[in-house]
């Protein structure tokens, strides 16, 4: 199956998105999160349309080049404040571990029905469908203090990703292959500062982004019959993709550079002002976790069976339906209804910590609100 955050504070958020006081949120990042989650939903909706359509396959490949890297880079940027303190570990459990257990179980039970596999086991060690991201983000956050202390963190993380492509023995446990191959994007996010986002939002970058995306689509259209799009999922080693081992070592940095170029172009067109969709940026985790049920149910329910769905008009309709559905799933009423499982209050689970004495706690330099203008 194919795959797939962020408060406006530099404090480590509970998940790809978590509520925060409106005065502390940055509209740019909320808009970016909303746009990214819409693209994620569109990608899932386009999967059944790829067969027989080179154009849809090219757009799909182009989309998978940058939409998850964009999510992960921003997740890394807002994980800079994670230092392993008890309060942050508690939020990590409530914002990632609990939703993972709940939705991994829910997707297993649901796909027993949609995939006609009644004996599919519930395994918390083998992430199903889109739950891999919660596991990966949990692991990345835990290693944040290490990446913030080593020299040349991005090249080092890129080296880890390259080595991962050589190791089919990594297997599916916790989807470590994908966590390792996407690691450089997260580490890059840890290294970014507000001025870097201001740079990509300049008018000159927005102008250049148009021909860059046009050229990227042309390359994707050319590549559709010549390579597998599974390279962009980052879930398999080179050998598992039927390629020589050295392909993975070469493809990893090439894809990293291409993805970052498109991420920069994507972010350059994200509005920095408050819009009707800005409030939805706080609910992207809900849209991410919930839209998969619709995507799986649509295929099982035969929504893609009519011939007209596989024509250009059908692709447009599918795109609009996917965008509308995930938008509704990000709205405040949905968040209020399901907050108890997506962002549960676990204060009852943990012992109360003694307050730190003045001057003994870690530096809060990166905990100040971020304003990326």
């Amino acid at each position: 199956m194919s795959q797939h955050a962020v408060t406006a504070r530099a404090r480590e958020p509970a998940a790809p998105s978590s509520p925060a006081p409106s005065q502390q949120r940055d509209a740019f990042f909320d808009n970016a999160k909303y746009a990214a989650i819409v693209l994620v939903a569109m990608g899932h909706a386009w999967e059944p349309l790829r067969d027989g359509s080179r154009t849809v396959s090219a757009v799909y490949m182009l989309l998978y080049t940058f939409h998850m890297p964009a999510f992960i880079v921003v997740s890394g940027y807002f994980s800079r404040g994670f230092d392993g303190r008890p309060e942050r570990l508690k939020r990590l459990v409530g914002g990632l571990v609990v939703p993972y257990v709940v939705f991994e179980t829910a997707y297993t039970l649901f796909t027993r029905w949609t995939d006609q596999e009644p004996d599919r086991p519930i395994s918390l060690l083998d992430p199903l469908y889109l739950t891999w991201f919660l596991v990966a983000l949990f692991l990345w956050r835990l290693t944040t203090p290490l990446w913030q202390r080593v020299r040349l963190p991005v090249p080092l993380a890129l080296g880890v990703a390259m080595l991962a492509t050589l190791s089919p023995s990594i297997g599916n446990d916790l989807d470590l292959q994908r966590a390792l191959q996407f690691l450089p994007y997260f580490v890059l996010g840890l290294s970014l500062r507000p001025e870097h986002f201001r740079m990509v939002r300049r008018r000159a970058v927005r102008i250049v982004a148009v021909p860059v995306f046009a050229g990227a689509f042309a390359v994707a259209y050319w590549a559709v019959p010549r390579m597998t799009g599974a390279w962009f999922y980052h879930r398999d080693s080179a050998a598992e993709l039927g390629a020589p081992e050295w392909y993975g070592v070469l493809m990893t940095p090439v894809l990293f550079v291409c993805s970052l170029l498109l991420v920069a172009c994507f972010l350059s067109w994200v509005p920095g002002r408050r819009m009707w969709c800005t409030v939805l940026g706080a609910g992207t985790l809900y849209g991410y976790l919930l839209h998969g049920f619709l995507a799986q149910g649509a295929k099982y329910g035969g929504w893609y069976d009519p011939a007209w769905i596989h024509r250009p008009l059908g692709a447009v309709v599918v795109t609009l339906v996917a965008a509308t559905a995930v938008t509704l799933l990000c709205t405040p009423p949905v968040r209020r209804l399901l907050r108890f499982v997506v962002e549960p209050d676990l204060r009852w689970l943990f012992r109360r910590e003694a307050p730190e004495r003045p001057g003994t706690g870690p530096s809060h330099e990166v905990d100040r609100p971020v304003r990326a203008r």
Side-chain angles (χ1 to χ4, degrees):
M1 295 180 183
S2 66
Q3 312 66 28
H4 315 310
V6 180
T7 87
R9 296 178 294 178
R11 294 183 179 181
E12 171 269 332
S17 61
S18 73
S22 59
Q23 66 270 22
Q24 293 185 341
R25 301 193 69 92
D26 189 292
F28 168 74
F29 289 106
D30 278 333
N31 293 337
K33 289 186 299 170
Y34 170 72
I37 198 61
V38 169
L39 293 179
V40 169
M42 288 179 178
H44 278 141
W46 291 341
E47 285 181 14
L49 303 179
R50 290 180 296 161
D51 293 340
S53 176
R54 186 172 177 178
T55 299
V56 173
S57 297
V59 175
Y60 181 88
M61 182 180 293
L62 174 63
L63 181 63
Y64 271 78
T65 306
F66 73 91
H67 74 343
M68 282 311 297
F71 242 86
I72 295 168
V73 166
V74 177
S75 295
Y77 178 70
F78 283 101
S79 296
R80 294 176 302 150
F82 184 85
D83 53 13
R85 283 184 290 154
E87 187 60 33
R88 300 200 185 280
L89 291 174
K90 294 175 186 177
R91 294 170 65 185
L92 203 59
V93 171
L96 294 176
V97 176
V98 172
Y100 172 69
V101 172
V102 171
F103 282 89
E104 175 68 16
T105 302
Y107 271 113
T108 300
L109 297 176
F110 188 70
T111 56
R112 283 180 180 179
W113 170 57
T114 59
D115 293 346
Q116 297 294 289
E117 294 186 24
D119 297 325
R120 173 171 284 167
I122 297 176
S123 173
L124 298 182
L125 295 179
D126 186 8
L128 181 65
Y129 199 31
L130 45 71
T131 59
W132 71 269
F133 183 69
L134 299 180
V135 176
L137 189 55
F138 176 79
L139 297 175
W140 296 332
R141 287 255 174 86
L142 286 181
T143 62
T144 290
L146 172 64
W147 294 111
Q148 291 179 324
R149 284 162 178 78
V150 299
R151 296 180 178 179
L152 303 175
V154 177
L156 181 59
L158 190 59
V160 171
M162 294 164 66
L163 291 175
T165 66
L166 300 175
S167 308
S169 60
I170 290 179
N172 295 323
D173 288 351
L174 298 180
D175 226 339
L176 285 179
Q177 184 69 255
R178 196 175 304 175
L180 293 175
Q181 290 194 36
F182 273 118
L183 175 64
Y185 301 98
F186 181 82
V187 175
L188 175 66
L190 291 175
S191 306
L192 295 178
R193 296 294 180 266
E195 55 267 26
H196 296 125
F197 290 94
R198 288 195 292 267
M199 288 175 59
V200 302
R201 295 169 60 195
R202 293 179 298 180
R203 183 172 182 270
V205 180
R206 289 197 296 272
I207 294 174
V208 172
V210 176
V212 168
F213 266 113
F217 172 77
V219 172
Y221 191 85
W222 171 87
V224 165
R226 294 174 174 84
M227 67 173 289
T228 173
W231 283 105
F232 300 96
Y233 300 156
H234 296 285
R235 68 184 178 190
D236 300 304
S237 66
E240 290 171 312
L241 294 175
E245 290 184 345
W246 64 268
Y247 269 44
V249 176
L250 176 63
M251 287 289 287
T252 299
V254 170
L255 292 179
F256 183 68
V257 172
C258 293
S259 295
L260 290 185
L261 177 62
L262 294 179
V263 167
C265 292
F266 163 71
L267 292 176
S268 73
W269 277 96
V270 173
R273 65 186 185 279
R274 289 195 61 83
M275 304 174 63
W276 65 269
C277 61
T278 302
V279 67
L280 303 177
T284 51
L285 179 61
Y286 294 79
Y288 179 82
L289 292 174
L290 295 172
H291 85 275
F293 293 107
L294 299 180
Q296 291 293 305
K299 288 182 283 189
Y300 176 77
W303 296 5
Y304 291 91
D305 292 345
W308 70 271
I309 286 290
H310 297 268
R311 296 173 186 150
L313 177 60
V316 172
V317 171
V318 167
T319 301
L320 294 176
V321 170
T324 302
V326 77
T327 295
L328 294 175
L329 294 176
C330 294
T331 55
V334 174
R335 291 166 54 198
R336 287 193 293 269
L337 180 64
L338 295 177
R339 181 165 290 152
F340 73 100
V341 293
V342 179
E343 297 174 292
D345 184 352
L346 298 182
R347 284 178 293 183
W348 59 270
L349 182 63
F350 299 101
R351 293 179 299 180
R352 179 171 298 181
E353 299 290 332
E356 294 177 340
R357 289 176 298 171
T360 62
S363 170
H364 291 263
E365 181 179 356
V366 297
D367 286 354
R368 294 194 300 266
V370 173
R371 299 297 182 194
R373 298 296 180 189

